[in-house]
Amino acid sequence: MTLHTHRIERVALLRCSPNHPLIIQGKERGEEILVLDGDILDENGEYAKGSWLRSPQVNSRRLFAGDGGAIVYGMIEI
């Protein structure tokens, strides 16, 4: 669910099914993601509820919801 869009930035709330792949397409300004429930994983590890991921510059990152799914709040450049 998109919560806010302004110029090149979008803020969204996303409920992810277990093991659901997520592709974040950040550009020059990057991304910010808050894990509200469950956990998400990427090539660097696992991020549990309460984790805040901030990547100032991202070309493409592949994230997955954990085995129990996840709810994430994210701000990404579009």
Side-chain angles (χ1 to χ4, degrees):
M1 169 190 325
T2 298
L3 302 174
H4 174 73
T5 301
H6 180 71
R7 297 186 185 163
I8 63 170
E9 190 171 86
R10 181 177 62 170
V11 177
L13 184 65
L14 184 60
R15 183 182 308 264
C16 308
S17 301
N19 305 305
H20 184 272
L22 307 167
I23 298 176
I24 304 298
Q25 296 289 338
K27 295 182 185 171
E28 293 176 9
R29 292 181 57 201
E31 67 184 11
E32 293 187 58
I33 300 170
L34 174 62
V35 181
L36 298 174
D37 196 22
D39 61 337
I40 58 174
L41 304 102
D42 71 5
E43 64 277 2
N44 296 314
E46 183 175 342
Y47 309 95
K49 178 179 177 178
S51 296
W52 182 260
L53 290 77
R54 183 176 188 289
S55 302
Q57 216 172 28
V58 178
N59 291 328
S60 179
R61 184 207 311 243
R62 192 162 173 94
L63 297 167
F64 292 87
D67 291 337
I71 299 174
V72 298
Y73 169 93
M75 182 166 35
I76 64 171
E77 183 179 343
I78 54 176

